[in-house]
Amino acid sequence: MEGFANMIRSHVLVCGGTGCTSSGSAQILQTLKDELKNCKLEDEVAVVQTGCHGLCAEGPVMIVYPDAIFYARVTPEDVPEIVTEHLLKGRVVERLLYREQKEPEGITSLNKTVFYKKQHRIALRNCGVINPENIDEYIGTGGYEALGRVLTQMTPDEVIQTLLDSGLRGRGGAGFPTGLKWKFASGNRGNIQKYVCCNADEGDPGAFMDRSVLEGDPHVVLEAMAIAGYAIGSNQGYIYVRAEYPIAVKRLNIAIGQAREYGLLGKDIFGTGFDFDIELRLGAGAFVCGEETALMTSIEGNRGEPRPRPPFPAVKGLFAKPTILNNVETWANIPQIIINGPEWFASMGTEKSKGTKVFALGGKINNTGLVEIPMGTPLRTVIEEIGGGIPNGKKFKAAQTGGPSGGCIPAEHFDIPIDYDNLISIGSMMGSGGMIVMDEDNCMVDIAKFFLQFTVDESCGKCTPCRVGTKRLLEILEKITDGRGTLEDLEKAQELCAYIKENAQCGLGQTAPNPVLSTMRYFHDEYVEHVVNKRCPAGVCKDLINYKIDPEKCKGCTLCARNCPADAITGEVKQPHVIDIAKCVKCGTCMDHCRFGAIYKE
């Protein structure tokens, strides 16, 4: 019986993704280890730091197995209670339970909660499950089995055909067929130097899908890139990751070191004579370096500017050699396609958009976080069910997909099945997977201005249509939100959008007008209200609103006056107050402090 003395009876998984780390999960992890030691449980309970579990709104997150108890919003002060009550005495700490696990008949399974039950995790299958810094845990879930199968049982052309048959399209935004890209670069194997690149330069506002995969399952990217190297005849890979992702960079470095130590990167992998290694290249956070030729130019040590195409990278890419580039999520699908077969992957999704897609839900949504859904899932399902709906009973107004390159999906398309072609047909795009939800309190002109400002700041300046055109377009939007816009400005904006799309050199400039075009298409009345009536219906554009006090509701409590930073509010105690519009800076502090709903925007 001595062999059972140190048997682990419970595993406690603590999220170590960026979201939970920023909320203090590292302190929770250390406190947990200290408390287990104090209770002499360190040999019975294993503590595992994982990647993101997806439900970022409930972080910091802790899950106890085999019970599958999900503790949400844990603080270091909660840890002693979890240890003594749950791990020592076997009693669940109900006050910390994730709300959806609480059922009248008992505790429900995590897989049956609304957030998780309609998801299908392929790219995210190991995120939140394994320790990303332990290669043995990745191998224990089937890791590197696909690479072994490819090197010992398949020809390079069979690998490419498998991807073609699967229907996998690039998850970075454009949706180009992955197998076709590999096929273009596969000629002259062994006779010419080739490169395999990973685009981990995720830069869309509100997007964190690729970062989460790198933080939670870095080995899947290494394995997939090695498979690609075998398929096209390359012995060298590069991962271009932004330096703003320190946790991802750290775990990638650890994973590369472990893979080399195990002989899964480097020379003579699996004794087959195949050589392949990977290096990291850190980006400085330039959005334009998400464009493939700009990314390769940056890896070469030059300023990240796009190059004319053709020639395409599959013919002349990194260091002027044939190169394939896929983003993190695309790579994360490949080992599972090899293991389960192309038919398995192609059975999910829609006719032209196979498999699943990862989205980062953000904005006006209850369940902010990371979700992976089958292609073709209706937007309504993502927002109302998986996302938990809009907070505070507000109405859904629009969802922005594709970031600065995408467009807004209005309420009239709330039931649209999400796939590449459907989104493009309504003026949006898939993009890398950011999904920002907006409610009735968002001004769509202001939203378009926000994304265009981002694009203006991130333009590399190489071509005039992007460098100058986006700036002039932004100036028009600023005129409109400042109350100086005219109907002629709306016409000019449309013409300028068409010119930029037609003449910009790279995808950044060509798609920069999309947020403007989609908001003008679906919320044209809102633009007209801004320029004709000089009014912002959502009450967002400061120059078009005034704060006023309703004398019927004002109780004269003086809270508004005491908190006004501009001393713009006057009035006697217990008497209605008045706002001096000339002094008011329109910060909204008075409305935030009013207890009687007496202050309104007009």
Side-chain angles (χ1 to χ4, degrees):
M1 296 295 290
E2 291 183 3
F4 293 93
N6 292 327
M7 180 176 286
I8 301 298
R9 60 177 176 83
S10 294
H11 284 75
V12 183
L13 278 54
V14 179
C15 177
T18 293
C20 285
T21 297
S22 66
S23 300
S25 68
Q27 186 179 353
I28 291 168
L29 193 72
Q30 187 58 53
T31 305
L32 177 60
K33 291 177 180 178
D34 293 342
E35 288 297 318
L36 290 172
K37 189 173 182 179
N38 292 339
C39 294
K40 297 182 171 55
L41 293 175
E42 68 269 29
D43 293 331
E44 299 179 42
V45 179
V47 178
V48 182
Q49 185 179 48
T50 71
C52 179
H53 292 83
L55 199 50
C56 302
E58 300 296 329
V61 167
M62 179 188 293
I63 302 181
V64 181
Y65 286 104
D67 315 68
I69 297 300
F70 188 117
Y71 289 126
R73 304 187 185 187
V74 179
T75 67
E77 292 72 29
D78 296 322
V79 173
E81 184 179 359
I82 292 173
V83 172
T84 56
E85 288 297 308
H86 188 160
L87 299 174
L88 188 60
K89 300 176 183 177
R91 297 192 291 232
V92 174
V93 183
E94 293 195 9
R95 70 178 183 86
L96 296 173
L97 267 181
Y98 170 47
R99 63 184 182 277
E100 285 194 33
Q101 280 203 295
K102 300 176 184 178
E103 295 288 343
E105 61 274 12
I107 298 173
T108 189
S109 166
L110 267 180
N111 292 331
K112 293 182 180 179
T113 60
V114 174
F115 181 78
Y116 287 108
K117 70 181 180 182
K118 293 200 174 181
Q119 294 191 49
H120 189 87
R121 293 162 77 88
I122 299 175
L124 300 179
R125 73 185 190 96
N126 284 330
C127 293
V129 176
I130 66 171
N131 179 354
E133 298 181 13
N134 187 337
I135 190 173
D136 293 328
E137 293 203 13
Y138 179 67
I139 292 172
T141 64
Y144 291 106
E145 180 183 344
L147 178 59
R149 182 179 299 184
V150 161
L151 295 184
T152 60
Q153 300 177 27
M154 301 175 71
T155 67
D157 287 333
E158 286 174 340
V159 175
I160 292 174
Q161 190 60 49
T162 297
L163 287 186
L164 287 169
D165 293 343
S166 74
L168 175 66
R169 295 171 64 174
R171 297 314 197 229
F176 191 81
T178 304
L180 194 57
K181 180 182 288 189
W182 291 20
K183 187 175 182 178
F184 289 156
S186 64
N188 295 316
R189 295 187 185 99
N191 298 321
I192 186 172
Q193 178 66 54
K194 300 178 183 179
Y195 296 103
V196 174
C197 292
C198 172
N199 180 356
D201 192 58
E202 182 178 53
D204 289 5
F208 51 93
M209 302 75 57
D210 291 350
R211 185 195 73 202
S212 295
V213 173
L214 295 176
E215 292 176 351
D217 195 15
H219 282 283
V220 74
V221 175
L222 308 187
E223 181 179 15
M225 291 178 68
I227 291 170
Y230 174 74
I232 72 165
S234 167
N235 63 5
Q236 182 63 52
Y238 290 95
I239 299 177
Y240 187 85
V241 56
R242 49 180 52 204
E244 298 165 359
Y245 288 176
I247 297 176
V249 171
K250 173 192 170 187
R251 291 177 182 167
L252 278 171
N253 276 316
I254 291 172
I256 290 171
Q258 291 174 341
R260 287 172 178 163
E261 183 182 348
Y262 275 51
L264 299 169
L265 285 179
K267 301 290 186 181
D268 194 24
I269 300 173
F270 284 110
T272 60
F274 172 62
D275 303 337
F276 188 79
D277 208 352
I278 294 174
E279 295 182 23
L280 295 189
R281 288 292 184 268
L282 301 188
F287 182 65
V288 73
C289 286
E291 196 277 338
E292 59 181 0
T293 61
L295 183 152
M296 293 174 196
T297 303
S298 182
I299 290 178
E300 293 167 358
N302 301 310
R303 177 176 175 171
E305 293 181 333
R307 300 192 286 244
R309 298 180 301 175
F312 291 95
V315 176
K316 186 179 179 182
L318 185 63
F319 302 115
K321 302 297 182 182
T323 306
I324 58 171
L325 172 74
N326 293 112
N327 85 320
V328 172
E329 187 186 340
T330 309
W331 292 120
N333 281 283
I334 289 168
Q336 288 301 296
I337 292 174
I338 299 295
I339 294 298
N340 296 296
E343 299 82 6
W344 164 80
F345 189 82
S347 69
M348 294 174 277
T350 62
E351 182 181 353
K352 295 183 179 180
S353 300
K354 305 296 185 183
T356 62
K357 183 70 188 77
V358 180
F359 286 97
L361 278 179
K364 306 289 186 65
I365 190 83
N366 281 309
N367 294 337
T368 55
L370 207 62
V371 303
E372 184 172 2
I373 55 170
M375 290 280 195
T377 301
L379 178 63
R380 182 186 297 274
T381 300
V382 178
I383 303 297
E384 291 190 345
E385 297 183 38
I386 298 173
I390 314 296
N392 305 315
K394 298 287 186 177
K395 292 181 181 178
F396 170 81
K397 187 171 187 177
Q400 172 83 7
T401 61
S405 302
C408 290
I409 306 173
E412 66 189 80
H413 292 302
F414 203 22
D415 291 301
I416 190 169
I418 300 172
D419 69 11
Y420 291 101
D421 300 317
N422 283 336
L423 293 187
I424 289 173
S425 71
I426 61 170
S428 187
M429 64 183 293
M430 187 79 73
S432 59
M435 184 180 288
I436 300 176
V437 182
M438 288 159 274
D439 67 11
E440 58 197 90
D441 292 335
N442 286 107
C443 169
M444 302 314 293
V445 185
D446 183 68
I447 290 293
K449 186 174 75 171
F450 167 79
F451 282 110
L452 192 60
Q453 177 69 66
F454 180 87
T455 306
V456 169
D457 292 342
E458 294 294 339
S459 172
C460 74
K462 186 175 183 179
C463 72
T464 304
C466 182
R467 182 184 69 250
V468 179
T470 56
K471 181 65 176 176
R472 298 290 87 83
L473 186 57
L474 177 62
E475 288 170 355
I476 292 174
L477 292 189
E478 288 173 339
K479 277 184 67 179
I480 293 171
T481 57
D482 289 349
R484 300 177 289 112
T486 64
L487 290 174
E488 289 74 19
D489 286 324
L490 299 186
E491 294 178 7
K492 288 180 184 176
Q494 292 272 10
E495 292 175 6
L496 193 50
C497 285
Y499 173 80
I500 296 169
K501 287 181 73 69
E502 184 70 25
N503 294 284
Q505 180 176 335
C506 81
L508 184 147
Q510 292 162 8
T511 59
N514 285 353
V516 180
L517 288 171
S518 68
T519 52
M520 292 185 76
R521 174 180 177 182
Y522 294 113
F523 302 95
H524 188 262
D525 291 346
E526 205 161 317
Y527 277 86
V528 171
E529 191 74 9
H530 277 70
V531 299
V532 174
N533 297 324
K534 309 301 180 186
R535 175 177 170 270
C536 176
V540 171
C541 302
K542 285 187 176 182
D543 290 311
L544 301 181
I545 61 171
N546 287 308
Y547 285 87
K548 295 188 176 182
I549 297 176
D550 185 343
E552 298 294 324
K553 295 182 179 179
C554 181
K555 306 298 180 183
C557 69
T558 74
L559 264 179
C560 58
R562 282 184 280 146
N563 285 281
C564 178
D567 293 326
I569 303 176
T570 56
E572 301 293 328
V573 177
K574 296 185 179 181
Q575 297 295 322
H577 282 46
V578 177
I579 298 176
D580 185 341
I581 294 176
K583 290 184 178 180
C584 179
V585 294
K586 303 175 183 179
C587 63
T589 301
C590 55
M591 182 178 284
D592 293 337
H593 284 85
C594 182
R595 299 173 179 173
F596 307 102
I599 301 178
Y600 61 97
K601 289 186 282 188
E602 185 179 75

